[in-house]
Amino acid sequence: PPAEPLTERRQAGGVRTIVLNNPRRRNALSLPMLQSLRRDLLHDVKSRELRVIVIAAEGPVFCSGHDLKELSSEDDVKHHSQVFELCAEVMTLIQKLPVPVIAKVNGLATAAGCQLVASCDIAVASDKSQFATPGVNIGLFCSTPAVALGRSLPRKVALEMLFTGEPLSAHEALMHGLISRVVPEDKLEEETTKISQKICESSKSVLALGKATFYRQITQDLDTAYKITTKVMVDNLTLRDGQEGIEAFVQKRKPVWSH
């Protein structure tokens, strides 16, 4: 029989759900899996109907990171480079997309799988989820996951994860800022839907401007960050939806977004 797709994409009510669909391989980020994920992220991304992307997974492991079988030959440097370069492209793409991206985590997220969670704008996890960067234990330090982890977690927490490979529980991950929310497993779908629907109530163009600006200013010094965001606030007011929102507030009515 034909192989099932590595990712499944479905969309309804402005929300696109991308499901990592290779539980037998622990949803490893093989080269084909990364290509499939990139394709689903980019599909018709400028459509007015698309407002939020949710990344979820089949099976008890959200994502185990890279497929080590692809990395077992020390001679194939070209292939190894291709895997890590595509992975970096997908992680940075998530933050460049014009819509918020939510990780919906139910289970274990390790190495590049933990990197995927850290790269998303929002992460909602069940209380049974765990997060780890155990590459050090097999002689492959999680250097690329460390980029996302080091930008999401306090430095000493990130380094303890990287140096020991020991996992964080969902509640520890929440406490340190790796994820946004922890809920019981049976409430995960409901909570993710609630956040997605709330985002869908806002203007896509305003959110796109806000998301791009957030990531642009966050790496700057304080004065530069304020210069950037001051100009963007002025630009925001030139958007049709920027004026519509203010007029609706003054007139005490619901805004009608053009997106």
Side-chain angles (χ1 to χ4, degrees):
E4 291 187 358
L6 291 173
T7 61
E8 290 184 348
R9 183 184 73 242
R10 54 180 181 267
Q11 189 167 323
V15 181
R16 173 178 302 166
T17 301
I18 302 171
V19 181
L20 306 182
N21 187 40
N22 193 12
R24 284 176 296 181
R25 298 290 302 153
R26 296 160 62 91
N27 294 314
L29 294 178
S30 62
L31 192 60
M33 174 70 92
L34 286 165
Q35 290 166 338
S36 187
L37 178 56
R38 178 179 61 179
R39 189 162 51 246
D40 285 345
L41 287 168
L42 286 172
H43 177 79
D44 206 13
V45 75
K46 293 182 180 178
S47 162
R48 221 194 278 194
E49 282 67 46
L50 177 63
R51 316 295 294 289
V52 187
I53 294 174
V54 175
I55 299 177
E58 285 290 342
V61 176
F62 175 78
C63 179
S64 61
H66 290 293
D67 186 341
L68 296 180
K69 286 187 176 179
E70 287 188 331
L71 309 178
S72 59
S73 170
E74 62 183 27
D75 299 323
D76 198 356
V77 174
K78 184 177 179 182
H79 180 74
H80 297 167
S81 296
Q82 191 179 4
V83 170
F84 290 120
E85 285 167 7
L86 180 55
C87 186
E89 181 188 335
V90 169
M91 301 300 168
T92 54
L93 170 63
I94 287 169
Q95 295 182 357
K96 292 174 182 175
L97 292 173
V99 296
V101 180
I102 303 172
K104 176 182 156 189
V105 186
N106 188 28
L108 186 63
T110 62
C114 190
Q115 179 186 3
L116 179 58
V117 175
S119 298
C120 289
D121 305 309
I122 296 170
V124 185
S126 72
D127 51 12
K128 77 173 196 178
S129 300
Q130 289 187 305
F131 306 86
T133 49
V136 67
N137 297 329
I138 59 163
L140 182 65
F141 196 87
C142 285
S143 293
T144 45
V147 175
L149 251 65
R151 285 160 170 75
S152 297
L153 292 165
R155 183 176 299 182
K156 287 178 174 60
V157 177
L159 285 170
E160 183 178 338
M161 289 181 70
L162 292 160
F163 289 161
T164 67
E166 289 296 304
L168 291 183
S169 69
H171 289 287
E172 288 170 327
L174 175 66
M175 178 176 67
H176 294 305
L178 178 60
I179 60 176
S180 322
R181 200 166 297 199
V182 177
V183 295
E185 185 177 7
D186 61 356
K187 298 289 184 184
L188 182 60
E189 179 70 31
E190 177 186 333
E191 198 66 27
T192 308
T193 299
K194 190 188 302 181
I195 296 169
S196 301
Q197 289 177 343
K198 184 62 182 173
I199 291 170
C200 286
E201 293 175 9
S202 298
S203 160
K204 179 172 182 175
S205 54
V206 171
L207 280 173
L209 179 64
K211 175 175 172 175
T213 305
F214 178 85
Y215 285 113
R216 185 176 162 211
Q217 63 82 25
I218 199 68
T219 57
Q220 305 296 322
D221 64 82
L222 197 62
D223 288 340
T224 304
Y226 272 117
K227 283 178 185 173
I228 290 169
T229 53
T230 297
K231 182 180 184 306
V232 170
M233 292 291 283
V234 174
D235 292 343
N236 195 154
L237 288 171
T238 68
L239 294 178
R240 188 188 305 175
D241 281 350
Q243 288 301 314
E244 166 61 18
I246 291 171
E247 288 174 15
F249 180 81
V250 171
Q251 296 168 9
K252 298 182 178 177
R253 62 174 175 81
K254 285 192 74 172
V256 181
W257 305 123
S258 67
H259 305 297

